Short mmCIF file of all heavy atoms in Angstrom, two decimals:
data_model
loop_
_atom_site.label_atom_id
_atom_site.label_comp_id
_atom_site.label_asym_id
_atom_site.label_seq_id
_atom_site.Cartn_x
_atom_site.Cartn_y
_atom_site.Cartn_z
N ALA A 181 -27.08 3.54 -29.36
CA ALA A 181 -28.32 3.90 -28.68
C ALA A 181 -29.53 3.29 -29.35
O ALA A 181 -30.45 2.78 -28.68
CB ALA A 181 -28.44 5.41 -28.62
N MET A 182 -29.58 3.31 -30.68
CA MET A 182 -30.72 2.72 -31.40
C MET A 182 -30.74 1.20 -31.21
O MET A 182 -31.81 0.60 -31.08
CB MET A 182 -30.63 3.08 -32.88
CG MET A 182 -30.94 4.54 -33.17
SD MET A 182 -31.34 4.84 -34.91
CE MET A 182 -29.78 4.51 -35.66
N ARG A 183 -29.56 0.61 -31.21
CA ARG A 183 -29.47 -0.84 -30.99
C ARG A 183 -30.01 -1.20 -29.61
O ARG A 183 -30.77 -2.17 -29.45
CB ARG A 183 -28.00 -1.27 -31.12
CG ARG A 183 -27.75 -2.76 -31.11
CD ARG A 183 -26.28 -3.02 -31.41
NE ARG A 183 -26.00 -4.44 -31.53
CZ ARG A 183 -25.53 -5.18 -30.55
NH1 ARG A 183 -25.36 -4.67 -29.35
NH2 ARG A 183 -25.28 -6.47 -30.73
N ALA A 184 -29.68 -0.39 -28.60
CA ALA A 184 -30.16 -0.64 -27.25
C ALA A 184 -31.68 -0.46 -27.17
O ALA A 184 -32.37 -1.21 -26.48
CB ALA A 184 -29.46 0.31 -26.28
N ALA A 185 -32.20 0.54 -27.90
CA ALA A 185 -33.63 0.80 -27.88
C ALA A 185 -34.42 -0.37 -28.50
O ALA A 185 -35.47 -0.78 -27.97
CB ALA A 185 -33.95 2.10 -28.64
N VAL A 186 -33.90 -0.91 -29.61
CA VAL A 186 -34.55 -2.08 -30.22
C VAL A 186 -34.45 -3.29 -29.31
O VAL A 186 -35.42 -4.03 -29.13
CB VAL A 186 -33.94 -2.36 -31.61
CG1 VAL A 186 -34.53 -3.66 -32.18
CG2 VAL A 186 -34.20 -1.21 -32.58
N ASN A 187 -33.29 -3.49 -28.73
CA ASN A 187 -33.11 -4.62 -27.79
C ASN A 187 -34.07 -4.56 -26.63
O ASN A 187 -34.56 -5.57 -26.13
CB ASN A 187 -31.66 -4.65 -27.27
CG ASN A 187 -30.73 -5.45 -28.16
OD1 ASN A 187 -31.14 -6.41 -28.81
ND2 ASN A 187 -29.47 -5.05 -28.19
N ALA A 188 -34.37 -3.31 -26.19
CA ALA A 188 -35.26 -3.12 -25.06
C ALA A 188 -36.74 -3.27 -25.45
O ALA A 188 -37.62 -3.21 -24.57
CB ALA A 188 -35.02 -1.75 -24.43
N GLY A 189 -37.02 -3.44 -26.74
CA GLY A 189 -38.40 -3.62 -27.19
C GLY A 189 -39.16 -2.33 -27.38
O GLY A 189 -40.39 -2.33 -27.38
N LEU A 190 -38.44 -1.23 -27.59
CA LEU A 190 -39.09 0.06 -27.72
C LEU A 190 -39.83 0.20 -29.05
O LEU A 190 -40.86 0.87 -29.14
CB LEU A 190 -38.07 1.19 -27.59
CG LEU A 190 -38.61 2.59 -27.28
CD1 LEU A 190 -39.44 2.59 -26.00
CD2 LEU A 190 -37.45 3.58 -27.17
N GLY A 191 -39.32 -0.45 -30.08
CA GLY A 191 -39.98 -0.36 -31.38
C GLY A 191 -39.20 -1.09 -32.46
O GLY A 191 -38.20 -1.79 -32.20
N VAL A 192 -39.66 -0.93 -33.71
CA VAL A 192 -39.00 -1.48 -34.88
C VAL A 192 -37.89 -0.54 -35.30
O VAL A 192 -38.09 0.68 -35.35
CB VAL A 192 -39.99 -1.70 -36.02
CG1 VAL A 192 -39.27 -2.14 -37.29
CG2 VAL A 192 -41.05 -2.74 -35.64
N GLY A 193 -36.72 -1.06 -35.63
CA GLY A 193 -35.62 -0.22 -36.04
C GLY A 193 -34.97 -0.71 -37.32
O GLY A 193 -35.19 -1.84 -37.75
N MET A 194 -34.20 0.17 -37.95
CA MET A 194 -33.40 -0.20 -39.12
C MET A 194 -31.94 -0.08 -38.76
O MET A 194 -31.46 1.00 -38.39
CB MET A 194 -33.74 0.73 -40.29
CG MET A 194 -33.02 0.34 -41.59
SD MET A 194 -33.23 1.57 -42.91
CE MET A 194 -32.22 2.92 -42.25
N LEU A 195 -31.23 -1.20 -38.83
CA LEU A 195 -29.83 -1.22 -38.43
C LEU A 195 -28.98 -1.91 -39.50
O LEU A 195 -29.49 -2.68 -40.33
CB LEU A 195 -29.67 -2.00 -37.12
CG LEU A 195 -30.32 -1.44 -35.85
CD1 LEU A 195 -30.14 -2.42 -34.70
CD2 LEU A 195 -29.73 -0.08 -35.49
N ALA A 196 -27.70 -1.62 -39.47
CA ALA A 196 -26.77 -2.34 -40.33
C ALA A 196 -26.80 -3.82 -39.93
O ALA A 196 -26.94 -4.15 -38.75
CB ALA A 196 -25.37 -1.77 -40.19
N GLU A 197 -26.66 -4.67 -40.89
CA GLU A 197 -26.75 -6.12 -40.63
C GLU A 197 -25.73 -6.56 -39.58
O GLU A 197 -25.99 -7.46 -38.78
CB GLU A 197 -26.50 -6.88 -41.95
CG GLU A 197 -26.91 -8.33 -41.92
CD GLU A 197 -26.83 -8.96 -43.29
OE1 GLU A 197 -25.91 -8.63 -44.05
OE2 GLU A 197 -27.70 -9.78 -43.63
N SER A 198 -24.56 -5.89 -39.56
CA SER A 198 -23.53 -6.26 -38.60
C SER A 198 -23.90 -5.88 -37.17
O SER A 198 -23.27 -6.33 -36.22
CB SER A 198 -22.21 -5.57 -38.97
OG SER A 198 -22.37 -4.16 -39.04
#
Side-chain angles (χ1 to χ4, degrees):
M182 289 197 293
R183 188 173 185 265
V186 174
N187 272 330
L190 198 58
V192 173
M194 185 188 70
L195 295 175
E197 195 172 37
S198 57

